[in-house]
């Protein structure tokens, strides 16, 4: 079975002695990995991990040469799995996609059926990539806080890295659920956009960066953090008794210096978010919620559209901390 042309355009990385060579080239379909589902990729996106996958020191890519792209959305062109129909629109992300299995930065992809999520009614392939792994992680974080009992009546919640993909989407989701959402951002010129997404208050990065006492005034009923570094310790020491932070990222750095006091004196919880390995049934459920009760406000508005030929702009920008919403990649027309 194949409905993929003999060759097609792909953005690839290849390791050389002097670093990683990256760019668009013609890819032979015969070199695609095994899988039950073939997808004509319409959109992909840029995540922090994608940028790492294109760098020699990124420690993310496990295939060489590699078509990166941890997210893809498109239409099924061939399928040997009875549950995935030809012509249906689907999204795939996580697992080995874009790191150990050729990913979304190509006109076609072949993936295992167990990685495929049918796009729920109400979302387009473009919407799905405006969400992408970053937005999915935001939804997963909100769901985890809800499962711990977070309710809008509990008081203000905090979202860090707010101008970025995870943070911006978490802000948009939580605000529409009725929470009073405060954000941390290092970009003062993003204030108007963050307010329009629903931010009730904005803290500067410097407000949360200085070392503090082991416990400070209880402020937040919950938090979503994708920054780590000095930000996560601030969150832990200012969470209310019994509150939780959903931690997914290290945009500020991987080290975590805290005391145990938030945990043992306030019952605070640190919830780890790993979007890569989420089982497919839960992944499909969260996508269904992203189309309904967890649909981010103004979905698709704060995106910068790239193509395979202009992809470097997003890959370099996200590593430089320059995110303002999401970069999405128009791979090929529907
Ligand atoms: N665990 C998972 O499954 C999972 C899934 C997705 C992403 N992630 C991780 O989550 C993180 C964020 O991903 P993303 O896609 O949202 O990235 P992003 O779009 O680049 O957003 C990150 C945001 O963090 C803030 N930031 C950047 N550098 C910083 C620094 N040095 N100190 C403090 N804040 C900084 C910036 O926001 P402000 O300028 O507004 O402060 C930036 O916009 C990354 O580490 C990524 O690898 C993990």
């Amino acid at each position: 079975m194949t409905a993929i042309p003999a060759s097609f355009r792909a953005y690839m990385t290849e390791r050389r002695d002097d670093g990683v060579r990256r760019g668009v080239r013609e890819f032979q379909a015969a070199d695609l990995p095994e899988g039950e589902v073939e997808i004509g990729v319409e959109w992909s996106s840029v995540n922090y991990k994608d940028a790492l996958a294109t760098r020699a020191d990124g420690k993310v890519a496990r295939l060489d040469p590699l078509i990166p792209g941890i997210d893809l959305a498109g239409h099924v062109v061939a399928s040997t799995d009875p549950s995935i129909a030809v012509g249906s629109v689907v999204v795939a992300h996580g697992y080995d996609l874009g790191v150990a299995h050729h990913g979304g930065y190509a006109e076609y992809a072949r993936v295992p059926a167990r990685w495929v999520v049918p796009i729920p009614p109400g979302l387009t392939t473009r919407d799905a990539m405006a969400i992408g792994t970053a937005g999915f992680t935001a939804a997963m974080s909100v769901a985890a806080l809800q499962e711990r009992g977070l309710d809008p009546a509990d008081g203000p919640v905090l979202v860090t890295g707010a101008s970025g993909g995870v943070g911006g989407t978490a802000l948009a989701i939580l605000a529409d659920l009725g929470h009073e959402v405060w954000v941390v951002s290092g970009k003062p010129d993003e204030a108007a956009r963050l307010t329009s997404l629903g931010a009730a208050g904005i803290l500067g990065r410097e407000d949360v960066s200085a070392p503090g006492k082991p416990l400070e005034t209880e402020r937040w009923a919950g938090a979503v953090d994708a920054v780590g570094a000095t930000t996560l310790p601030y969150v832990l020491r200012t969470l209310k008794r019994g509150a939780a932070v959903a931690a997914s990222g290290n945009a500020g750095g991987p080290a975590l210096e805290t005391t145990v006091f938030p945990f043992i004196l306030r019952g605070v919880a640190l919830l780890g978010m790993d979007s890569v390995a989420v089982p497919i049934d839960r992944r499909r459920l969260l996508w269904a919620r992203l189309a309904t009760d967890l649909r981010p406000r103004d979905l698709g508005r704060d995106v910068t559209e790239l193509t395979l030929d202009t992809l470097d702009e997003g890959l370099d920008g996200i590593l430089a901390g320059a995110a303002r919403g999401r970069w999405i990649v128009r791979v090929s027309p529907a």
Side-chain angles (χ1 to χ4, degrees), residues 6-273:
S7 73
F8 53 86
R9 296 184 85 227
Y11 178 100
M12 299 203 71
T13 59
E14 192 168 0
R15 282 175 187 273
R16 296 290 170 97
D17 290 342
D18 56 349
V20 171
R21 198 179 69 167
R22 55 186 203 178
V24 179
R25 69 180 215 211
E26 205 62 17
F27 184 85
Q28 300 302 310
D31 294 331
L32 277 175
E34 293 296 306
E36 298 84 29
V37 183
E38 294 184 346
I39 299 166
V41 180
E42 295 164 22
W43 294 93
S44 184
S45 84
V46 177
N47 295 276
Y48 203 81
K49 193 171 175 184
D50 294 313
L52 293 178
T54 66
R55 286 177 61 99
D57 58 355
K59 299 191 177 107
V60 159
R62 288 185 279 127
L63 192 64
D64 180 48
L66 170 71
I67 303 173
I70 65 169
D71 286 338
L72 64 84
H75 55 281
V76 175
V77 295
S79 168
T80 56
D81 187 291
S83 69
I84 315 279
V86 171
S88 59
V89 284
V90 296
V91 58
H93 65 112
Y95 310 115
D96 285 341
L97 194 67
V99 291
H101 183 112
H102 289 311
Y105 296 162
E107 290 174 333
Y108 292 92
R110 188 186 288 133
V111 299
R114 65 182 183 282
W115 293 2
V116 174
V117 178
I119 293 180
L123 293 179
T124 63
T125 50
R126 185 181 185 279
D127 292 337
M129 291 296 94
I131 295 170
T133 288
F136 176 84
T137 305
M140 191 181 158
S141 302
V142 172
L145 294 175
Q146 288 179 328
E147 282 156 19
R148 243 192 92 87
L150 178 67
D151 184 271
D154 296 339
V157 295
L158 186 68
V159 172
T160 69
S163 69
V166 176
T169 315
L171 159 62
I173 293 173
L174 285 162
D176 267 10
L177 287 173
H179 292 273
E180 178 186 334
V181 190
W182 285 64
V183 296
V184 180
S185 178
K187 301 187 185 85
D189 60 333
E190 282 284 276
R193 189 174 73 81
L194 298 176
T195 303
S196 77
L197 280 176
I202 303 177
L203 303 180
R205 206 178 284 174
E206 64 287 351
D207 297 325
V208 304
S209 298
K213 292 190 235 158
L215 290 172
E216 293 179 28
T217 306
E218 295 179 43
R219 243 187 125 175
W220 314 114
V224 174
D225 176 60
V227 171
T230 53
T231 301
L232 184 52
Y234 163 82
V235 174
L236 289 168
R237 61 183 188 259
T238 52
L239 280 175
K240 290 185 180 185
R241 186 172 302 280
V245 52
S248 60
N250 60 345
L256 177 60
E257 206 171 305
T258 181
T259 69
V260 296
F261 294 122
F263 308 113
I264 64 175
L265 296 182
R266 285 191 183 155
V268 156
L270 174 53
L271 309 176
M273 298 293 114

